[in-house]
Amino acid sequence: MTTAHVKTAKGTRTRDRMLESAVVLIPRLGWSAVTARALAGHAGVRPGIIHYHFDSLEALLAEAAVGAVREALEYPSRQLESGISLDEGLHMFLAALDEFAPDEPVNLLFVETFLAAARGGVLRGELAQVLLDFRTRTARWLERVGFDGDADATAAVLAAAVDGLMLHRALDPGLTADKAFPVLRRALGTTAATEGSSP
Amino acid sequence: MTTAHVKTAKGTRTRDRMLESAVVLIPRLGWSAVTARALAGHAGVRPGIIHYHFDSLEALLAEAAVGAVREALEYPSRQLESGISLDEGLHMFLAALDEFAPDEPVNLLFVETFLAAARGGVLRGELAQVLLDFRTRTARWLERVGFDGDADATAAVLAAAVDGLMLHRALDPGLTADKAFPVLRRALGTTAATEGSSP
DNA sequence: GAAGTATTTGGACGAGCGTCCAAAAGATTC
DNA sequence: GAATCTTTTGGACGCTCGTCCAAATACTTC
């Protein structure tokens, strides 16, 4: 499995520092442009140490990315299960939009990880599972909160929309949570008439 | 600006072949993993020729990506202005979802281009303009078709949602247009009550 | 403080990178 | 068909890549 013969606190700290550097550099440089030397430089270590703590650079990136995504979803996940309302929940989803920080853009990390996973490898299965789990929790929350449409499909679209908004936000600073809220609020509204009419 | 001293049909063909190879390889390998040699190999030429037709590899990628995005939006753009209904338009937006082809995933090209643009450079301005233009056309179509809410914000969220769905689709083959349609249809429905109530 | 283990270094390895260029090859013009 | 212009080649350039490893260092245990 993952090479991780860490026995002392110092070793753990170095390992963690490299993981954190990966989380910073992946969005900044792009997944495949994060080199061993760039990462080591950012973490304040020599490149050689990478292969003491990890099997490969790619394994380091994958562990860092999935870990960051899992961690980023933990708090929202718990919130959803704490009985918050539909409006509160949607606000929480969109809060990530306005927390956009150019120096540590977690949103772009999400997208980079998505793309890296789409290219295949171990990442694909792991990330898919993390996201499916979160989507399921979102669907259960929707049901709990009184949504009476297809909760699973709605949760899937909501998650996709938030990711898409984070991506677009990177190019358009005017795309704030305030703007997006009413639109998505409508999608979460009481399930309306199934079909309109063509003029 | 872009080095392009093409004077014969043969030169044009070689140039185009390289642009097409970039469009194929960017989603497959990831933006920064498309090397001069990989691209030349796929296009059936020698790496040296890249700098005869383009200023740099990066310039080649940028021209290919923006060109592909612009081209991909051309048909939908014309459709929106041909008087199609709200339902027809939304179906068109989501059609891209089911056209997903693993061997030439245009959707992933979109996302890769987005990320490359977010990293800065000339790409950023160019892509932002192309997308803003398309978003504006979408907003005008929404107004024309009877949508009475904030058409600009709704168009922005719609575009983001479609991009996000394309991204998620790469990891979840079950995320089809049929599933997403009713959800987004609700977001485009007659603007509902502004706020719900918390229980 | 010696012995033993865990961690880190510094330098090396072959491979591949983007880019350049003189010369060859092909096309066009007269 | 010679002259001229355009396109392509093949090989080279200096550099950086991921990875490896023996030696040096830090830490823990006794």
Side-chain angles (χ1 to χ4, degrees):
Chain A
M1 301 296 144
T2 54
T3 306
H5 28 39
V6 156
K7 308 280 170 69
T8 74
K10 194 185 178 204
T12 309
R13 249 181 288 119
T14 302
R15 215 184 110 95
D16 289 348
R17 200 134 33 86
M18 286 192 284
L19 290 172
E20 287 160 21
S21 289
V23 168
V24 173
L25 293 180
I26 288 170
R28 186 182 298 173
L29 308 175
W31 185 282
S32 45
V34 177
T35 67
R37 284 166 177 83
L39 187 115
H42 189 273
V45 294
R46 307 288 140 190
I49 197 102
I50 290 176
H51 297 83
Y52 177 77
H53 287 290
F54 302 91
D55 282 341
S56 67
L57 176 62
E58 193 67 19
L60 196 176
L61 296 183
E63 181 175 335
V66 173
V69 169
R70 191 176 277 130
E71 196 179 315
L73 292 181
E74 198 179 307
Y75 173 73
S77 205
R78 264 187 285 110
Q79 283 296 102
L80 288 182
E81 274 150 16
S82 74
I84 63 175
S85 72
L86 198 147
D87 283 317
E88 287 166 344
L90 183 54
H91 266 121
M92 184 194 65
F93 272 105
L94 292 176
L97 250 189
D98 289 345
E99 276 164 12
F100 178 82
D103 33 318
E104 197 168 340
V106 186
N107 48 352
L108 296 185
L109 173 71
F110 261 72
V111 183
E112 287 282 359
T113 308
F114 240 107
L115 283 179
R119 270 173 237 132
V122 205
L123 236 189
R124 191 191 180 100
E126 284 191 56
L127 186 65
Q129 195 194 331
V130 171
L131 294 174
L132 186 68
D133 177 65
F134 183 69
R135 192 195 294 173
T136 305
R137 287 165 192 264
T138 303
R140 295 298 84 80
W141 162 71
L142 280 174
E143 290 166 352
R144 220 177 303 125
V145 100
F147 179 79
D148 60 344
D150 183 343
D152 286 304
T154 304
V157 173
L158 177 59
V162 171
D163 281 351
L165 283 168
M166 294 197 304
L167 188 58
H168 280 234
R169 171 66 185 257
L171 285 191
D172 176 12
L175 194 50
T176 58
D178 279 349
K179 268 192 163 181
F181 185 88
V183 185
L184 290 179
R185 184 59 183 79
R186 252 177 274 136
L188 300 188
T190 56
T191 168
T194 1
E195 195 74 8
S197 62
S198 31
Chain B
M1 300 299 134
T2 56
T3 306
H5 29 39
V6 156
K7 307 282 169 66
T8 74
K10 193 185 179 206
T12 309
R13 249 181 288 119
T14 301
R15 215 185 109 94
D16 289 348
R17 200 133 35 85
M18 286 193 284
L19 290 172
E20 288 160 20
S21 289
V23 168
V24 172
L25 293 181
I26 288 171
R28 186 182 298 173
L29 308 176
W31 184 281
S32 45
V34 177
T35 67
R37 285 164 177 84
L39 188 115
H42 188 272
V45 294
R46 309 285 146 200
I49 197 96
I50 289 175
H51 298 84
Y52 177 75
H53 287 289
F54 302 91
D55 282 341
S56 65
L57 175 62
E58 193 67 19
L60 196 175
L61 296 183
E63 182 176 333
V66 173
V69 169
R70 191 177 277 131
E71 197 178 315
L73 292 181
E74 199 180 307
Y75 173 73
S77 204
R78 265 188 284 109
Q79 283 296 103
L80 288 181
E81 273 150 16
S82 74
I84 62 175
S85 71
L86 198 148
D87 283 317
E88 288 166 342
L90 183 53
H91 266 122
M92 184 194 66
F93 272 104
L94 292 175
L97 251 189
D98 289 346
E99 277 164 11
F100 178 81
D103 33 318
E104 196 168 339
V106 186
N107 47 353
L108 296 185
L109 173 71
F110 261 71
V111 183
E112 288 281 0
T113 307
F114 239 108
L115 283 178
R119 270 173 238 132
V122 205
L123 236 189
R124 190 190 181 101
E126 283 191 56
L127 186 66
Q129 195 193 332
V130 170
L131 295 174
L132 186 68
D133 177 66
F134 183 70
R135 189 196 294 175
T136 305
R137 288 166 192 264
T138 303
R140 295 298 86 77
W141 162 72
L142 279 174
E143 289 167 351
R144 221 177 303 125
V145 101
F147 179 80
D148 60 344
D150 184 343
D152 287 303
T154 305
V157 174
L158 178 59
V162 171
D163 282 351
L165 283 168
M166 296 198 303
L167 188 57
H168 280 234
R169 171 64 185 259
L171 284 192
D172 176 12
L175 195 49
T176 59
D178 278 349
K179 267 193 165 180
F181 184 89
V183 185
L184 290 178
R185 184 60 184 79
R186 252 177 274 136
L188 301 187
T190 55
T191 168
T194 1
E195 195 76 6
S197 62
S198 31

